[in-house]
Amino acid sequence: MTTRTSVPNTDSDQSQYLIERSFGGRDCAFLDPAGNIVRIRELPAATAEARSRAARKTDTLTMLRGAVVDVWVATASDDGAPYLVPLSLAWIDERAVIAVRSNSATARDLRDRPNARLGLGPTRNVVMMDAVRERELAATVDEALGTVYAVQADWDPRQSPGFVLFVLRPIRVQAWREANEIAGRDLMREGRWLV
């Protein structure tokens, strides 16, 4: 929501208050007297030290266990046509759990080819996960799994007919923020944490 307030001792209006973010820098915006939007953005320090793998794993697990985790899920059809969709994710017992309509392209792809690639976070705090389908079940079948998913994802697919849950086992996890973290970005390989 944009609010406009006068900035004391100037002919400018502040159109966006300072926003603190868990990633990157802070920013705000002003309207100058000519009506132009002037954005002031604090960029993260380019010289910040790379995090250790242990710190990256901790940050990754914190992100995965958080409430309302948004994830991009990429799959491919039998003929190799890619499909990408934003979904909600729950991290349950070291597994990524997603809910989709049973007749969706994502569901069809995961039935035909069990591989998926998941992308989490903004471009300066990326987590990439390669995962394989471990199981598929109707959203109403496993009450405990459905409840944990609903609590973490902040919506309940059991209340909408035709949804299924896919439990995905991670086989590779990578995490990085800036170019200095590209080296050593692998946190998991072949389903085993490296730290």
Side-chain angles (χ1 to χ4, degrees):
M1 179 176 176
T2 301
T3 58
R4 293 181 69 178
T5 57
S6 294
V7 178
N9 303 320
T10 70
D11 291 331
S12 299
D13 288 333
Q14 184 174 2
S15 63
Q16 176 190 311
Y17 289 104
L18 181 67
I19 296 175
E20 296 279 350
R21 299 182 183 168
S22 61
F23 62 91
R26 299 172 291 178
D27 75 0
C28 66
F30 293 88
L31 284 176
D32 70 11
N36 299 309
I37 294 178
V38 178
R39 180 166 299 282
I40 301 170
R41 180 174 292 159
E42 175 187 61
L43 297 175
T47 58
E49 286 190 35
R51 296 170 294 164
S52 68
R53 275 193 173 148
R56 290 187 219 187
K57 180 181 176 185
T58 298
D59 292 347
T60 296
L61 291 173
T62 298
M63 183 186 295
L64 289 167
R65 292 174 181 147
V68 192
V69 178
D70 297 323
V71 62
W72 288 94
V73 178
T75 57
S77 65
D78 268 345
D79 63 0
Y83 191 72
L84 180 67
V85 63
L87 297 171
S88 295
L89 174 140
W91 183 251
I92 303 169
D93 297 328
E94 295 285 309
R95 300 296 187 260
V97 181
I98 58 172
V100 296
R101 291 198 178 276
S102 62
N103 62 350
S104 68
T106 301
R108 286 190 305 270
D109 290 349
L110 284 171
R111 287 182 196 117
D112 294 341
R113 303 175 86 168
N115 301 315
R117 184 152 232 231
L118 288 62
L120 295 88
T123 56
R124 295 193 191 278
N125 193 12
V126 177
V127 173
M128 297 298 296
M129 179 186 300
D130 294 331
V132 294
R133 179 198 71 235
E134 189 169 84
R135 62 187 172 124
E136 171 191 358
L137 59 155
T140 56
V141 168
D142 186 329
E143 188 65 27
L145 183 67
T147 298
V148 174
Y149 180 89
V151 168
Q152 186 178 356
D154 198 32
W155 78 279
D156 193 344
R158 298 171 297 179
Q159 304 302 315
S160 302
F163 273 84
V164 293
L165 298 174
F166 281 94
V167 178
L168 306 174
R169 180 176 50 85
I171 56 173
R172 184 178 186 199
V173 176
Q174 299 175 307
W176 69 93
R177 287 188 179 156
E178 299 285 341
N180 65 347
E181 289 192 355
I182 295 294
R185 66 185 174 265
D186 286 342
L187 302 178
M188 175 187 285
R189 280 192 212 122
E190 298 177 7
R192 295 176 193 259
W193 291 107
L194 303 176
V195 290

